[in-house]
């Protein structure tokens, strides 16, 4: 039994809402950064406080009771509002006030396009320091970053976002091997496979009205940044996002196979998370990156 003036178990409510959203105690524990047993205890505390079961076993699975579903629907939105407001109003003291952390799942984009242009942003913003880290894992609200640049991940916490680039694909090769040749060269020269982007080659082939039987399969590399030296020095071709090869094409290290441009349907996005210690600086970075990508896209179109 609980007394009328017993404090509402807010942590238990948060744990319960997370269970409902994640679909299991195990995933809820991972999202909350705690153990499954702790989440189970929170659930028991809340059920004791409310005086009824919130979940019930159905074979090997646990499902919400009718009361549990009603309670979750009622408290989820107000809890979101509280968390959103707290994160927006949070203020922390940090020793490096003129520094931001950029996290990205696009390692080759960062290597070939973002990082070479960072000095321009730093100069524009009075010497700001930009740390860059790469990760393919889904970001958590406990991770230390101000900005996420991604094509395939999503942010589940409050954040402003910008659509920065609609990905275009091109086929490139060494000028020694493809200068003066037409699109038909893709039928005779091996095309490198990049295993981190298995979608690129099939998408490009569809755009070119070709099939896998029309081309020769070349060597395999984990990432585009590993494949780029191979295509610059070897007798092979590479299908890659235009934005990551544009500088190499401009300097003459690579040539674009004529008629090989096609959209991939993928979109690059930049997120400035609300919990950033430097939210205005993070948003300024995203606006700068959007302008930079737009400028690159216009240059590519020419």
């Amino acid at each position: 039994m609980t007394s009328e003036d017993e404090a509402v178990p807010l942590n238990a409510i948060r744990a319960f809402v997370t269970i409902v959203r994640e679909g299991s105690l195990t995933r809820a524990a991972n999202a909350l950064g705690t153990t499954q047993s702790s989440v189970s205890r929170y659930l028991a505390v809340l059920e004791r406080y409310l005086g009824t079961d919130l979940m019930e076993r159905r074979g090997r699975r646990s499902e919400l009771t009718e009361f549990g579903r009603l309670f979750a629907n009622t408290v989820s939105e107000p809890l979101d509002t509280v968390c959103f407001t707290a994160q927006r109003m949070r203020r922390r003291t940090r020793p490096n006030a003129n520094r931001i952390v950029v996290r990205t799942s696009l390692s080759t984009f960062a290597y070939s396009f973002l990082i070479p242009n960072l000095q321009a942003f730093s100069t524009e913003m009075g010497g700001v320091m930009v740390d860059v880290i790469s990760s393919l894992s889904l970001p958590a609200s406990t991770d230390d970053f101000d900005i996420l640049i991604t094509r395939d991940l999503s942010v589940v916490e409050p954040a402003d976002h910008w659509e920065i680039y609609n990905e275009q694909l091109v086929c490139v090769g060494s000028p020694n091997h493809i200068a003066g040749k037409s699109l038909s060269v893709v039928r005779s020269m091996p095309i490198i496979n990049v295993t981190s982007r298995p979608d690129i080659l099939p998408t490009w082939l569809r755009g070119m009205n070709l099939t896998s039987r029309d081309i020769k399969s070349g060597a395999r590399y984990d990432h585009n940044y590993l494949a780029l030296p191979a295509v610059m020095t070897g007798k092979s071709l590479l299908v890659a996002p235009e934005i990551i090869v544009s500088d190499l094409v401009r300097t003459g290290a690579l040539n674009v196979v004529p008629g090989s441009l096609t959209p991939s349907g993928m979109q690059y996005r930049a997120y400035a998370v609300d919990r950033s210690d430097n939210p205005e600086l993070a948003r300024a970075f995203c606006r700068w990156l959007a302008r930079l990508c737009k400028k690159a896209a216009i240059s590519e179109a020419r």
Side-chain angles (χ1 to χ4, degrees):
M1 297 292 291
T2 62
S3 63
E4 290 295 323
D5 59 352
E6 184 176 346
V8 176
L10 295 177
N11 285 337
I13 293 174
R14 178 170 174 255
F16 172 66
V17 169
T18 306
I19 293 170
V20 175
R21 286 179 179 163
E22 296 294 326
S24 78
L25 270 70
T26 301
R27 288 195 291 271
N30 290 334
L32 292 168
T34 187
T35 63
Q36 184 175 338
S37 60
S38 293
V39 174
S40 297
R41 285 195 296 272
Y42 277 130
L43 179 61
V45 167
L46 184 58
E47 288 179 331
R48 184 179 67 82
Y49 180 85
L50 294 171
T52 187
D53 291 337
L54 296 171
M55 305 190 74
E56 59 186 356
R57 297 290 296 180
R58 294 286 179 86
R60 299 181 64 182
R61 299 181 56 189
S62 293
E63 295 183 1
L64 290 173
T65 63
E66 283 302 316
F67 184 90
R69 188 173 294 106
L70 174 63
F71 186 74
N73 290 340
T74 303
V75 301
S76 292
E77 186 173 342
L79 186 61
D80 283 344
T81 300
V82 170
C83 292
F84 180 83
T85 303
Q87 287 172 336
R88 273 199 176 273
M89 297 183 69
R90 186 182 186 190
R91 295 293 181 266
R92 290 176 289 182
T93 301
R94 80 188 272 173
N96 298 309
N98 205 31
R99 191 174 197 140
I100 53 175
V101 177
V102 175
R103 172 173 169 154
T104 182
S105 62
L106 310 175
S107 54
T108 307
F109 172 81
Y111 167 78
S112 61
F113 182 79
L114 174 64
I115 294 173
N117 286 287
L118 282 182
Q119 185 57 49
F121 174 76
S122 178
T123 301
E124 181 181 321
M125 300 303 294
V128 62
M129 184 74 70
V130 181
D131 299 329
V132 180
I133 56 176
S134 65
S135 175
L136 296 176
S137 61
L138 189 67
S141 58
T142 54
D143 292 338
D144 183 20
F145 66 93
D146 302 281
I147 297 143
L148 174 69
I149 303 171
T150 185
R151 176 194 62 244
D152 44 10
L153 302 179
S154 59
V155 172
V156 295
E157 60 183 297
D160 293 328
H161 79 278
W162 286 258
E163 310 291 346
I164 60 173
Y165 180 69
N166 291 314
E167 189 177 68
Q168 303 286 319
L169 303 178
V170 288
C171 184
V172 294
S174 165
N176 295 334
H177 301 303
I178 68 169
K181 296 184 178 177
S182 67
L183 186 61
S184 62
V185 71
V186 305
R187 294 179 179 271
S188 57
M189 196 175 295
I191 299 181
I192 292 172
N193 286 282
V194 178
T195 56
S196 64
R197 286 295 304 271
D199 59 302
I200 280 186
L201 194 51
T203 299
W204 181 80
L205 287 172
R206 285 195 299 271
M208 296 296 104
N209 262 344
L210 297 169
T211 71
S212 59
R213 294 187 297 274
D214 296 318
I215 64 169
K216 291 184 177 181
S217 184
R220 287 185 171 84
Y221 292 89
D222 285 343
H223 299 281
N224 274 308
Y225 64 79
L226 298 175
L228 287 172
V231 75
M232 284 190 286
T233 57
K235 192 174 181 180
S236 59
L237 302 173
L238 174 67
V239 176
E242 186 178 32
I243 199 167
I244 72 169
V245 299
S246 57
D247 279 349
L248 295 171
V249 171
R250 185 165 52 251
T251 59
L254 290 173
N255 277 10
V256 174
V257 174
S260 67
L261 179 70
T262 189
S264 73
M266 303 295 285
Q267 195 164 54
Y268 297 1
R269 299 179 300 278
Y271 294 87
V273 295
D274 283 4
R275 61 180 169 81
S276 167
D277 292 334
N278 286 318
E280 291 308 316
L281 186 56
R283 294 184 185 101
F285 178 89
C286 292
R287 290 191 292 268
W288 167 82
L289 182 58
R291 292 195 304 270
L292 184 67
C293 290
K294 182 178 180 180
K295 183 179 178 181
I298 292 172
S299 177
E300 290 163 1
R302 292 174 182 168

